[in-house]
Structure formats: C-alpha cells, structure tokens
Amino acid sequence: YEQLFFAVRLLAESAENQEQRSKLSNVVELNRLDIVPPGEITTFELKGTGKAQSGMRSLTFAWQAPGDNDFEGAATRYDIRYGKTQPSEATWESLTSAQNPPQPKTAGSLQEAAIQIPDSEETVYFAIRAYDEALNISALSNIAQWSPQDAIAPAPVLNLRAERLENGDVKITWT
C-alpha cells in the first residue's frame, strides 16, 4: 500500500488585494494500492572481468539505481539473470538467477554487483529487473554481454595448393 495524507488550507483575496489564509484543516490519511513499478534500468553494463578460478568467472556490472515508484525512493530488490540466449520477456524464466544481488540504493545512485558464472567458451547475456514492496516489476533492462577471449589457435593448414592461371593470376586453395 501507498500511504497518502491530505489537508486543505483556503486562500482568499480581500477587497484590498491582500491574501488571507485559513488554518490547516484536519489531516486525512488514505491507503491505496501501489501500482507504479520501479523505473526501467537502462544503464546496465559490464565493468570488469576477473580470471577464471575453479571453473567460475567473476564479472562486475554497474548501473544507475531506479526508484520504487518509477524514479523516486528505492526499489525493494533486484533480479539479475543470465544465459546463452538473449534475455527477453519470453526467455526470462528460463535464464539463471545470479546469487546475492545487492540491496537497491536510492534512485539515481550508482550500483555494482559481482556475479559468479561458470567459465565458458560461449557468449553469455545478462539483464536486470527491479521489484518494489508491492511486487510491481520494472521493465527488462538493456542487455549486457560477456564474450570469452578465443584462447584456442586455429588448426594448421595442411593441404595448401597454388595454381598459376592462364591470365597470370595465382589461385590458392585449401580445405
């Protein structure tokens, strides 16, 4: 629920153009359902990579924190997911959840998270969402990705052939 408070103060102008104000009325409280989701994270990016150890790799991501209600206050929690397919509404549930995402900070603050993933020879894609206390969910963030450096040299060419063509060019072939 979102808690709202209302009060009224009346203003009137006298014949001499002087402003007159009433005292503040009683304060009324209203509880209403929170239907405003946290703001969309559009700055999610890979900031650093660590060396692979024991089959796991540490990646550091950074983003600007959204608010609870769009861009005000602080969200309640984050859900960071990754996989070998690009995150989308259709693939979100099939992605792997990152362990121990950070507690959200106030809207506009810089956030960082270190995520451990299995070391891989394939590109891995990442996205994040924010939730508020009423379980409203932000839109899916922009997509970040990590691609491993190719550490395996190509196989040597063993059957290189050169052929002189009638026009003087050389045709080189291999399989």
Side-chain angles (χ1 to χ4, degrees):
Y1 285 98
E2 185 176 23
Q3 195 172 25
L4 302 172
F5 297 92
F6 298 93
V8 176
R9 175 176 283 157
L10 300 176
L11 300 174
E13 280 191 24
S14 66
E16 297 82 35
N17 289 331
Q18 290 186 341
E19 201 174 80
Q20 297 178 342
R21 297 176 183 223
S22 70
K23 290 185 177 182
L24 193 62
S25 71
N26 61 309
V27 177
V28 177
E29 178 181 342
L30 174 69
N31 291 321
R32 70 174 183 170
L33 287 176
D34 180 0
I35 59 169
V36 180
E40 178 183 358
I41 298 168
T42 60
T43 57
F44 188 61
E45 63 182 348
L46 177 63
K47 294 299 270 190
T49 61
K51 292 189 179 235
Q53 294 180 348
S54 302
M56 298 298 282
R57 181 173 298 276
S58 180
L59 304 174
T60 303
F61 292 86
W63 65 95
Q64 190 174 10
D68 171 12
N69 292 329
D70 206 13
F71 295 101
E72 296 177 5
T76 302
R77 71 179 177 91
Y78 292 122
D79 185 4
I80 303 172
R81 297 197 184 195
Y82 63 91
K84 293 177 182 163
T85 58
Q86 287 205 8
S88 67
E89 295 296 336
T91 64
W92 185 254
E93 293 301 321
S94 67
L95 300 172
T96 302
S97 292
Q99 299 299 308
N100 305 314
Q103 192 63 30
K105 293 182 180 179
T106 304
S109 300
L110 179 64
Q111 295 253 212
E112 287 192 355
I115 298 173
Q116 299 288 322
I117 65 167
D119 199 26
S120 171
E121 289 293 323
E122 297 181 57
T123 298
V124 181
Y125 301 93
F126 300 81
I128 184 172
R129 292 186 122 148
Y131 290 74
D132 68 12
E133 75 285 350
L135 300 180
N136 293 312
I137 306 168
S138 72
L140 193 63
S141 73
N142 60 296
I143 297 169
Q145 73 180 52
W146 172 81
S147 296
Q149 291 183 344
D150 189 359
I152 301 171
V157 174
L158 300 175
N159 58 350
L160 182 65
R161 285 178 278 173
E163 176 185 349
R164 184 180 310 266
L165 301 176
E166 288 182 13
N167 65 0
D169 288 347
V170 176
K171 178 180 176 183
I172 298 175
T173 59
W174 68 92
T175 56

PDB file of all heavy atoms in Angstrom, residues 86-110:
ATOM      1  N   GLN A  86      19.679 -14.402 -25.482  1.00  0.00           N
ATOM      2  CA  GLN A  86      19.438 -13.023 -25.055  1.00  0.00           C
ATOM      3  C   GLN A  86      18.193 -12.945 -24.179  1.00  0.00           C
ATOM      4  O   GLN A  86      17.155 -13.519 -24.523  1.00  0.00           O
ATOM      5  CB  GLN A  86      19.304 -12.103 -26.254  1.00  0.00           C
ATOM      6  CG  GLN A  86      20.611 -11.859 -26.930  1.00  0.00           C
ATOM      7  CD  GLN A  86      20.622 -10.555 -27.698  1.00  0.00           C
ATOM      8  OE1 GLN A  86      19.701  -9.745 -27.620  1.00  0.00           O
ATOM      9  NE2 GLN A  86      21.675 -10.349 -28.443  1.00  0.00           N
ATOM     10  N   PRO A  87      18.272 -12.222 -23.060  1.00  0.00           N
ATOM     11  CA  PRO A  87      17.097 -12.051 -22.201  1.00  0.00           C
ATOM     12  C   PRO A  87      15.983 -11.304 -22.922  1.00  0.00           C
ATOM     13  O   PRO A  87      16.223 -10.351 -23.657  1.00  0.00           O
ATOM     14  CB  PRO A  87      17.633 -11.216 -21.034  1.00  0.00           C
ATOM     15  CG  PRO A  87      19.103 -11.478 -21.028  1.00  0.00           C
ATOM     16  CD  PRO A  87      19.475 -11.641 -22.471  1.00  0.00           C
ATOM     17  N   SER A  88      14.767 -11.773 -22.697  1.00  0.00           N
ATOM     18  CA  SER A  88      13.566 -11.121 -23.228  1.00  0.00           C
ATOM     19  C   SER A  88      12.422 -11.530 -22.310  1.00  0.00           C
ATOM     20  O   SER A  88      12.592 -12.371 -21.426  1.00  0.00           O
ATOM     21  CB  SER A  88      13.281 -11.570 -24.664  1.00  0.00           C
ATOM     22  OG  SER A  88      12.918 -12.948 -24.680  1.00  0.00           O
ATOM     23  N   GLU A  89      11.259 -10.965 -22.529  1.00  0.00           N
ATOM     24  CA  GLU A  89      10.087 -11.381 -21.745  1.00  0.00           C
ATOM     25  C   GLU A  89       9.842 -12.876 -21.926  1.00  0.00           C
ATOM     26  O   GLU A  89       9.502 -13.580 -20.989  1.00  0.00           O
ATOM     27  CB  GLU A  89       8.844 -10.581 -22.167  1.00  0.00           C
ATOM     28  CG  GLU A  89       8.927  -9.096 -21.877  1.00  0.00           C
ATOM     29  CD  GLU A  89       9.002  -8.754 -20.403  1.00  0.00           C
ATOM     30  OE1 GLU A  89       8.555  -9.557 -19.553  1.00  0.00           O
ATOM     31  OE2 GLU A  89       9.527  -7.670 -20.083  1.00  0.00           O
ATOM     32  N   ALA A  90      10.060 -13.371 -23.140  1.00  0.00           N
ATOM     33  CA  ALA A  90       9.790 -14.781 -23.439  1.00  0.00           C
ATOM     34  C   ALA A  90      10.815 -15.727 -22.816  1.00  0.00           C
ATOM     35  O   ALA A  90      10.481 -16.848 -22.464  1.00  0.00           O
ATOM     36  CB  ALA A  90       9.752 -14.995 -24.952  1.00  0.00           C
ATOM     37  N   THR A  91      12.068 -15.279 -22.663  1.00  0.00           N
ATOM     38  CA  THR A  91      13.120 -16.176 -22.157  1.00  0.00           C
ATOM     39  C   THR A  91      13.451 -15.969 -20.685  1.00  0.00           C
ATOM     40  O   THR A  91      14.234 -16.723 -20.120  1.00  0.00           O
ATOM     41  CB  THR A  91      14.423 -16.001 -22.970  1.00  0.00           C
ATOM     42  OG1 THR A  91      14.920 -14.666 -22.778  1.00  0.00           O
ATOM     43  CG2 THR A  91      14.197 -16.282 -24.444  1.00  0.00           C
ATOM     44  N   TRP A  92      12.899 -14.941 -20.050  1.00  0.00           N
ATOM     45  CA  TRP A  92      13.290 -14.548 -18.692  1.00  0.00           C
ATOM     46  C   TRP A  92      13.260 -15.713 -17.697  1.00  0.00           C
ATOM     47  O   TRP A  92      14.217 -15.936 -16.956  1.00  0.00           O
ATOM     48  CB  TRP A  92      12.402 -13.398 -18.211  1.00  0.00           C
ATOM     49  CG  TRP A  92      12.828 -12.858 -16.876  1.00  0.00           C
ATOM     50  CD1 TRP A  92      12.209 -13.046 -15.678  1.00  0.00           C
ATOM     51  CD2 TRP A  92      13.973 -12.054 -16.605  1.00  0.00           C
ATOM     52  NE1 TRP A  92      12.890 -12.403 -14.687  1.00  0.00           N
ATOM     53  CE2 TRP A  92      13.981 -11.782 -15.235  1.00  0.00           C
ATOM     54  CE3 TRP A  92      15.000 -11.533 -17.394  1.00  0.00           C
ATOM     55  CZ2 TRP A  92      14.971 -11.009 -14.621  1.00  0.00           C
ATOM     56  CZ3 TRP A  92      15.984 -10.766 -16.784  1.00  0.00           C
ATOM     57  CH2 TRP A  92      15.960 -10.519 -15.414  1.00  0.00           C
ATOM     58  N   GLU A  93      12.195 -16.458 -17.660  1.00  0.00           N
ATOM     59  CA  GLU A  93      12.067 -17.536 -16.671  1.00  0.00           C
ATOM     60  C   GLU A  93      13.056 -18.675 -16.905  1.00  0.00           C
ATOM     61  O   GLU A  93      13.381 -19.406 -15.980  1.00  0.00           O
ATOM     62  CB  GLU A  93      10.634 -18.077 -16.647  1.00  0.00           C
ATOM     63  CG  GLU A  93       9.611 -17.085 -16.123  1.00  0.00           C
ATOM     64  CD  GLU A  93       9.884 -16.608 -14.703  1.00  0.00           C
ATOM     65  OE1 GLU A  93      10.310 -17.426 -13.862  1.00  0.00           O
ATOM     66  OE2 GLU A  93       9.678 -15.402 -14.437  1.00  0.00           O
ATOM     67  N   SER A  94      13.550 -18.839 -18.117  1.00  0.00           N
ATOM     68  CA  SER A  94      14.482 -19.927 -18.407  1.00  0.00           C
ATOM     69  C   SER A  94      15.938 -19.548 -18.105  1.00  0.00           C
ATOM     70  O   SER A  94      16.814 -20.409 -18.143  1.00  0.00           O
ATOM     71  CB  SER A  94      14.359 -20.350 -19.871  1.00  0.00           C
ATOM     72  OG  SER A  94      14.814 -19.312 -20.724  1.00  0.00           O
ATOM     73  N   LEU A  95      16.213 -18.283 -17.802  1.00  0.00           N
ATOM     74  CA  LEU A  95      17.575 -17.838 -17.514  1.00  0.00           C
ATOM     75  C   LEU A  95      17.974 -18.187 -16.090  1.00  0.00           C
ATOM     76  O   LEU A  95      17.127 -18.414 -15.226  1.00  0.00           O
ATOM     77  CB  LEU A  95      17.688 -16.326 -17.742  1.00  0.00           C
ATOM     78  CG  LEU A  95      17.382 -15.853 -19.156  1.00  0.00           C
ATOM     79  CD1 LEU A  95      17.342 -14.340 -19.212  1.00  0.00           C
ATOM     80  CD2 LEU A  95      18.393 -16.400 -20.143  1.00  0.00           C
ATOM     81  N   THR A  96      19.268 -18.193 -15.816  1.00  0.00           N
ATOM     82  CA  THR A  96      19.798 -18.494 -14.489  1.00  0.00           C
ATOM     83  C   THR A  96      19.810 -17.227 -13.641  1.00  0.00           C
ATOM     84  O   THR A  96      20.273 -16.180 -14.098  1.00  0.00           O
ATOM     85  CB  THR A  96      21.231 -19.051 -14.601  1.00  0.00           C
ATOM     86  OG1 THR A  96      21.200 -20.216 -15.422  1.00  0.00           O
ATOM     87  CG2 THR A  96      21.801 -19.403 -13.243  1.00  0.00           C
ATOM     88  N   SER A  97      19.332 -17.315 -12.394  1.00  0.00           N
ATOM     89  CA  SER A  97      19.350 -16.171 -11.474  1.00  0.00           C
ATOM     90  C   SER A  97      20.720 -16.039 -10.829  1.00  0.00           C
ATOM     91  O   SER A  97      21.276 -17.019 -10.342  1.00  0.00           O
ATOM     92  CB  SER A  97      18.309 -16.347 -10.368  1.00  0.00           C
ATOM     93  OG  SER A  97      17.011 -16.264 -10.892  1.00  0.00           O
ATOM     94  N   ALA A  98      21.249 -14.826 -10.832  1.00  0.00           N
ATOM     95  CA  ALA A  98      22.517 -14.556 -10.152  1.00  0.00           C
ATOM     96  C   ALA A  98      22.282 -14.595  -8.649  1.00  0.00           C
ATOM     97  O   ALA A  98      21.235 -14.147  -8.159  1.00  0.00           O
ATOM     98  CB  ALA A  98      23.053 -13.193 -10.568  1.00  0.00           C
ATOM     99  N   GLN A  99      23.254 -15.121  -7.924  1.00  0.00           N
ATOM    100  CA  GLN A  99      23.134 -15.236  -6.472  1.00  0.00           C
ATOM    101  C   GLN A  99      23.488 -13.914  -5.794  1.00  0.00           C
ATOM    102  O   GLN A  99      24.383 -13.201  -6.232  1.00  0.00           O
ATOM    103  CB  GLN A  99      24.081 -16.332  -5.972  1.00  0.00           C
ATOM    104  CG  GLN A  99      23.771 -17.699  -6.536  1.00  0.00           C
ATOM    105  CD  GLN A  99      22.376 -18.166  -6.144  1.00  0.00           C
ATOM    106  OE1 GLN A  99      22.008 -18.171  -4.979  1.00  0.00           O
ATOM    107  NE2 GLN A  99      21.602 -18.551  -7.128  1.00  0.00           N
ATOM    108  N   ASN A 100      22.778 -13.591  -4.728  1.00  0.00           N
ATOM    109  CA  ASN A 100      23.068 -12.453  -3.844  1.00  0.00           C
ATOM    110  C   ASN A 100      23.202 -11.094  -4.542  1.00  0.00           C
ATOM    111  O   ASN A 100      24.228 -10.432  -4.405  1.00  0.00           O
ATOM    112  CB  ASN A 100      24.334 -12.735  -3.022  1.00  0.00           C
ATOM    113  CG  ASN A 100      24.215 -14.027  -2.262  1.00  0.00           C
ATOM    114  OD1 ASN A 100      23.204 -14.295  -1.629  1.00  0.00           O
ATOM    115  ND2 ASN A 100      25.252 -14.845  -2.328  1.00  0.00           N
ATOM    116  N   PRO A 101      22.177 -10.664  -5.278  1.00  0.00           N
ATOM    117  CA  PRO A 101      22.266  -9.314  -5.856  1.00  0.00           C
ATOM    118  C   PRO A 101      22.285  -8.281  -4.722  1.00  0.00           C
ATOM    119  O   PRO A 101      21.819  -8.556  -3.611  1.00  0.00           O
ATOM    120  CB  PRO A 101      20.990  -9.200  -6.695  1.00  0.00           C
ATOM    121  CG  PRO A 101      20.056 -10.190  -6.106  1.00  0.00           C
ATOM    122  CD  PRO A 101      20.893 -11.303  -5.546  1.00  0.00           C
ATOM    123  N   PRO A 102      22.828  -7.091  -4.962  1.00  0.00           N
ATOM    124  CA  PRO A 102      22.901  -6.087  -3.889  1.00  0.00           C
ATOM    125  C   PRO A 102      21.529  -5.533  -3.518  1.00  0.00           C
ATOM    126  O   PRO A 102      20.577  -5.643  -4.290  1.00  0.00           O
ATOM    127  CB  PRO A 102      23.776  -4.991  -4.494  1.00  0.00           C
ATOM    128  CG  PRO A 102      23.541  -5.105  -5.959  1.00  0.00           C
ATOM    129  CD  PRO A 102      23.357  -6.587  -6.217  1.00  0.00           C
ATOM    130  N   GLN A 103      21.448  -4.946  -2.344  1.00  0.00           N
ATOM    131  CA  GLN A 103      20.240  -4.255  -1.900  1.00  0.00           C
ATOM    132  C   GLN A 103      20.136  -2.945  -2.683  1.00  0.00           C
ATOM    133  O   GLN A 103      21.126  -2.239  -2.836  1.00  0.00           O
ATOM    134  CB  GLN A 103      20.330  -3.974  -0.392  1.00  0.00           C
ATOM    135  CG  GLN A 103      19.043  -3.517   0.233  1.00  0.00           C
ATOM    136  CD  GLN A 103      17.946  -4.570   0.164  1.00  0.00           C
ATOM    137  OE1 GLN A 103      18.203  -5.759   0.175  1.00  0.00           O
ATOM    138  NE2 GLN A 103      16.716  -4.117   0.096  1.00  0.00           N
ATOM    139  N   PRO A 104      18.973  -2.612  -3.225  1.00  0.00           N
ATOM    140  CA  PRO A 104      18.844  -1.371  -4.003  1.00  0.00           C
ATOM    141  C   PRO A 104      19.150  -0.120  -3.177  1.00  0.00           C
ATOM    142  O   PRO A 104      18.795  -0.027  -2.005  1.00  0.00           O
ATOM    143  CB  PRO A 104      17.385  -1.376  -4.448  1.00  0.00           C
ATOM    144  CG  PRO A 104      17.006  -2.824  -4.450  1.00  0.00           C
ATOM    145  CD  PRO A 104      17.746  -3.414  -3.281  1.00  0.00           C
ATOM    146  N   LYS A 105      19.793   0.824  -3.836  1.00  0.00           N
ATOM    147  CA  LYS A 105      20.073   2.135  -3.253  1.00  0.00           C
ATOM    148  C   LYS A 105      19.002   3.119  -3.732  1.00  0.00           C
ATOM    149  O   LYS A 105      18.163   2.781  -4.556  1.00  0.00           O
ATOM    150  CB  LYS A 105      21.458   2.616  -3.680  1.00  0.00           C
ATOM    151  CG  LYS A 105      22.592   1.784  -3.121  1.00  0.00           C
ATOM    152  CD  LYS A 105      23.928   2.359  -3.567  1.00  0.00           C
ATOM    153  CE  LYS A 105      25.082   1.544  -3.008  1.00  0.00           C
ATOM    154  NZ  LYS A 105      26.383   2.089  -3.467  1.00  0.00           N
ATOM    155  N   THR A 106      19.082   4.342  -3.248  1.00  0.00           N
ATOM    156  CA  THR A 106      18.151   5.393  -3.635  1.00  0.00           C
ATOM    157  C   THR A 106      18.274   5.697  -5.127  1.00  0.00           C
ATOM    158  O   THR A 106      19.374   5.623  -5.684  1.00  0.00           O
ATOM    159  CB  THR A 106      18.444   6.675  -2.826  1.00  0.00           C
ATOM    160  OG1 THR A 106      18.390   6.354  -1.438  1.00  0.00           O
ATOM    161  CG2 THR A 106      17.433   7.766  -3.119  1.00  0.00           C
ATOM    162  N   ALA A 107      17.162   6.026  -5.743  1.00  0.00           N
ATOM    163  CA  ALA A 107      17.122   6.308  -7.184  1.00  0.00           C
ATOM    164  C   ALA A 107      18.240   7.255  -7.600  1.00  0.00           C
ATOM    165  O   ALA A 107      18.500   8.251  -6.929  1.00  0.00           O
ATOM    166  CB  ALA A 107      15.776   6.905  -7.564  1.00  0.00           C
ATOM    167  N   GLY A 108      18.916   6.893  -8.692  1.00  0.00           N
ATOM    168  CA  GLY A 108      19.989   7.713  -9.224  1.00  0.00           C
ATOM    169  C   GLY A 108      21.371   7.332  -8.712  1.00  0.00           C
ATOM    170  O   GLY A 108      22.373   7.768  -9.264  1.00  0.00           O
ATOM    171  N   SER A 109      21.444   6.516  -7.655  1.00  0.00           N
ATOM    172  CA  SER A 109      22.738   6.107  -7.105  1.00  0.00           C
ATOM    173  C   SER A 109      23.395   5.073  -8.012  1.00  0.00           C
ATOM    174  O   SER A 109      22.714   4.299  -8.678  1.00  0.00           O
ATOM    175  CB  SER A 109      22.566   5.483  -5.714  1.00  0.00           C
ATOM    176  OG  SER A 109      21.977   6.386  -4.822  1.00  0.00           O
ATOM    177  N   LEU A 110      24.723   5.045  -8.005  1.00  0.00           N
ATOM    178  CA  LEU A 110      25.458   4.036  -8.758  1.00  0.00           C
ATOM    179  C   LEU A 110      25.434   2.727  -7.975  1.00  0.00           C
ATOM    180  O   LEU A 110      25.682   2.704  -6.779  1.00  0.00           O
ATOM    181  CB  LEU A 110      26.905   4.474  -8.989  1.00  0.00           C
ATOM    182  CG  LEU A 110      27.772   3.479  -9.758  1.00  0.00           C
ATOM    183  CD1 LEU A 110      27.251   3.294 -11.178  1.00  0.00           C
ATOM    184  CD2 LEU A 110      29.217   3.940  -9.777  1.00  0.00           C
TER     185      LEU A 110
END
